[in-house]
Amino acid sequence: MAWAWLLVVVAGLLETGFAVCLKLSHGLTRLFPTLAFAAFALASFGLLTLALRKLDVGPAYAVWTGLGAAGTAVYGMVFLGDVVSTLKIISITLVIVGVVGLQLSGSGGH
């Protein structure tokens, strides 16, 4: 089952990639970011789908979206000039703590 959680983590990181590329595509009007968005999205959903064969959907989906959201927020602050604030950093930290807690909660899988 550890491999399934690894797939969820990689899928969450790929979710960050597709969210960032969606932003950079400017409404799907720029070719390379649009193609990268599609590739990241397909890979992310594909890995999540494989992981869900072994994991419960609730915790796995929450970890996937949490990692994607936290990763996207951090990327935006570091590389895209998004506003950095103490509250934003604390909130991202809480998302990550929640993701770890869900993973450790013992998703029994199938």
Side-chain angles (χ1 to χ4, degrees):
M1 189 171 328
W3 67 269
W5 280 113
L6 178 62
L7 291 178
V8 172
V9 169
V10 173
L13 296 174
L14 291 169
E15 183 187 2
T16 295
F18 82 67
V20 170
C21 288
L22 188 59
K23 163 82 172 160
L24 298 175
S25 77
H26 292 272
L28 304 178
T29 62
R30 293 186 175 166
L31 182 60
F32 177 74
T34 298
L35 293 175
F37 155 74
F40 279 122
L42 286 172
S44 180
F45 284 113
L47 292 179
L48 179 63
T49 299
L50 291 175
L52 288 176
R53 292 178 178 174
K54 296 290 181 186
L55 301 174
D56 292 339
V57 69
Y61 184 77
V63 168
W64 177 69
T65 58
L67 289 176
T72 303
V74 169
Y75 188 94
M77 290 186 291
V78 173
F79 297 107
L80 300 178
D82 291 357
V83 175
V84 178
S85 69
T86 302
L87 181 57
K88 192 179 278 188
I89 292 169
I90 290 169
S91 298
I92 291 167
T93 302
L94 290 172
V95 167
I96 293 169
V97 168
V99 162
V100 170
L102 281 168
Q103 196 279 331
L104 295 175
S105 70
S107 173
H110 300 112

